[in-house]
Amino acid sequence: MKTGFGYVIGRRHAAETDPDLRLCQDLAECYSDEDVSIIAVADGKAGRNTPAAAAAAARVNVDTIIAFFRDPAIWRIAEKNDFKARALQMLDSSLETVAGGGEFQYEELRATVSAVAVRSNGEFLAISIGDGTVVAYNKEMQPSVLIAPYREGPKNRTVYTNDMDGADAHMAAWGGTLEQSNFLAFAVFTDGANHLTRSEDGKTILRTAAACTLFGSGDEYITEAIGDIAAEHTRDDVSLAVMVDESDSAFSAAKIALLEAKAAKSAQAEEEPEAEESAEIEPKFTAVENTPDEPAEDEVPEETPEEETDTDLSDPLPNPPMPQQRPVSEEPTPAETVVLRAVYAKPMDAAELVREGYVRYGRILETTLPLLRSGKICYVDGKFSPNE
């Protein structure tokens, strides 16, 4: 699989006069190894003076969901509810770990997350919590929405991963194989990029992003495209990640997509002089339409969970039953060994680990997450403890 991604700050945050508030609260990342490829995006939600917490929440969500899909045991879960529970448990542990560092409160670490992972054998899993979007491409590289954003009510409220009840109620998950589903690519994006599914231009961008990713220029094209979206279609931060199968059919579809994009661009260039001429004859007034899916940009509502609706899929994830958890054989790193010795001496919270010198400040999640995933330690009542 080939992957590409990009994320840019929106006009609203870029206009902040205080440099501490001038932060991009979106994040996109990719991961690939011999067994699995992963794309993920997250959108942090800040109060007026907590953009750093929103950015931290986006980072921990992306890092955690990538670690989640890298675990081979995840792919052996047969029941969708078990799959969702494992994802939420891991996200909650990561957020608790960051909050335990003392810089942010757990309640401040609000973010949405959307991700897709594809294994080398063609199995794929997709997950989304909040108002991100997951897109799948068919064999002609035509995109369609696989998981729609969750919003509710006139204020388009959504849910965040630090709201365990809301996230459990509204998480969407999907699984299958590339061959059976006739998919050759996926994309995930945050709500700042909703233009991608609201216009023919957005559809062209999605197709071109997949084609460029396959031919090796995905990051450059994606960054430029979402920069244009941020400048023209939204004041929000924007992030997009794309993943494409390296198959003969994908290469053929990608070539066609690039040719069609080039033709569309040429046609648009020919129409522009006519538009300019008519504008000189008659003044043109443009009204900004606020669709039900997106609030007015000058009045952004506070997004909090509302009534719960059932967004579960009726079919279980098409994976074989999960066997007994495999024994952990990986040797801990020196940094992890220090934490193990400290925790086995006495249960400690994140602040204590930092204060007593066992973990460097800012490295709590990086050091403890592998130990939590491997079952060497657990997180109970706000403290890291030996896993009996």
Side-chain angles (χ1 to χ4, degrees):
M1 304 292 289
K2 296 292 287 293
T3 58
F5 71 94
Y7 54 97
V8 297
I9 191 170
R11 286 177 286 158
R12 184 187 304 116
H13 297 150
E16 294 285 358
T17 56
D18 185 344
D20 292 336
L21 303 180
R22 203 180 305 135
L23 293 177
C24 180
Q25 296 164 27
D26 270 20
L27 185 66
E29 288 284 357
C30 301
Y31 173 85
S32 292
D33 60 28
E34 293 181 355
D35 183 58
V36 67
S37 295
I38 307 163
I39 53 174
V41 296
D43 182 358
K45 174 64 177 178
R48 180 64 181 85
N49 296 310
T50 57
R59 168 55 67 184
V60 69
N61 273 270
V62 164
D63 287 349
T64 301
I65 212 67
I66 288 176
F68 173 74
F69 280 127
R70 288 181 63 188
D71 185 353
I74 295 304
W75 298 85
R76 298 196 292 268
I77 298 176
E79 295 296 328
K80 179 159 58 64
N81 287 337
D82 293 340
F83 172 81
K84 292 168 62 176
R86 287 285 294 276
L88 285 174
Q89 182 183 31
M90 195 163 175
L91 287 164
D92 184 49
S93 294
S94 296
L95 292 168
E96 287 276 11
T97 300
V98 173
E103 184 176 0
F104 307 112
Q105 297 296 317
Y106 184 92
E107 294 74 19
E108 294 176 318
L109 296 170
R110 295 187 294 172
T112 66
V113 67
S114 303
V116 180
V118 180
R119 299 186 78 184
S120 56
N121 63 2
E123 288 180 292
F124 75 85
L125 292 170
I127 192 171
S128 187
I129 301 172
D131 54 9
T133 301
V134 179
V135 166
Y137 297 73
N138 65 16
K139 293 297 185 181
E140 286 72 46
M141 203 166 274
Q142 297 289 347
S144 61
V145 174
L146 183 68
I147 299 178
Y150 167 72
R151 303 187 190 92
E152 187 175 343
K155 293 186 177 181
N156 298 302
R157 291 176 175 173
T158 190
V159 293
Y160 305 99
T161 57
N162 68 343
D163 170 16
M164 287 293 111
D165 291 336
D168 181 50
H170 302 298
M171 176 195 298
W174 197 282
T177 67
L178 297 180
E179 183 177 358
Q180 293 176 345
S181 303
N182 286 321
F183 295 151
L184 53 74
F186 297 93
V188 289
F189 56 84
T190 54
D191 65 333
N194 283 340
H195 173 73
L196 294 172
T197 53
R198 292 179 177 171
S199 66
E200 282 299 315
D201 174 60
K203 178 180 176 181
T204 299
I205 292 172
L206 280 172
R207 297 189 73 207
T208 307
C212 289
T213 296
L214 188 58
F215 288 114
S217 58
D219 290 355
E220 294 83 355
Y221 176 81
I222 290 171
T223 300
E224 180 180 355
I226 63 175
D228 292 341
I229 291 173
E232 299 174 12
H233 300 288
T234 182
R235 296 177 62 214
D236 200 1
D237 302 334
V238 184
S239 61
L240 167 66
V242 178
M243 176 165 51
V244 190
D245 187 25
E246 297 178 84
S247 63
D248 291 340
S249 58
F251 277 104
S252 298
K255 291 176 183 177
I256 294 173
L258 290 177
L259 289 173
E260 291 178 352
K262 184 177 180 181
K265 187 175 182 179
S266 299
Q268 182 181 6
E270 291 176 0
E271 292 174 0
E272 285 178 354
E274 297 179 5
E276 291 175 0
E277 183 178 349
S278 62
E280 293 176 0
I281 298 173
E282 182 178 354
K284 183 177 181 181
F285 298 92
T286 303
V288 178
E289 178 183 359
N290 295 317
T291 67
D293 289 334
E294 185 173 357
E297 292 176 344
D298 293 329
E299 186 180 350
V300 180
E302 182 73 7
E303 295 180 342
T304 55
E306 284 197 347
E307 296 181 8
E308 298 181 355
T309 60
D310 184 10
T311 57
D312 276 0
L313 303 172
S314 58
D315 296 327
L317 291 171
N319 293 302
M322 178 179 173
Q324 293 294 322
Q325 180 70 36
R326 69 191 190 287
V328 177
S329 59
E330 298 84 5
E331 290 297 323
T333 66
E336 293 168 356
T337 301
V338 171
V339 173
L340 281 172
R341 290 172 178 169
V343 168
Y344 270 77
K346 67 172 183 177
M348 304 177 72
D349 61 27
E352 289 176 300
L353 287 172
V354 173
R355 185 171 58 251
E356 298 185 21
Y358 295 111
V359 182
R360 291 173 54 189
Y361 180 77
R363 295 292 182 88
I364 289 286
L365 180 61
E366 177 183 333
T367 307
T368 59
L369 187 56
L371 297 173
L372 290 166
R373 287 179 58 233
S374 63
K376 293 183 173 69
I377 63 174
C378 59
Y379 192 78
V380 180
D381 296 330
K383 294 191 175 185
F384 297 100
S385 305
N387 195 340
E388 301 298 337

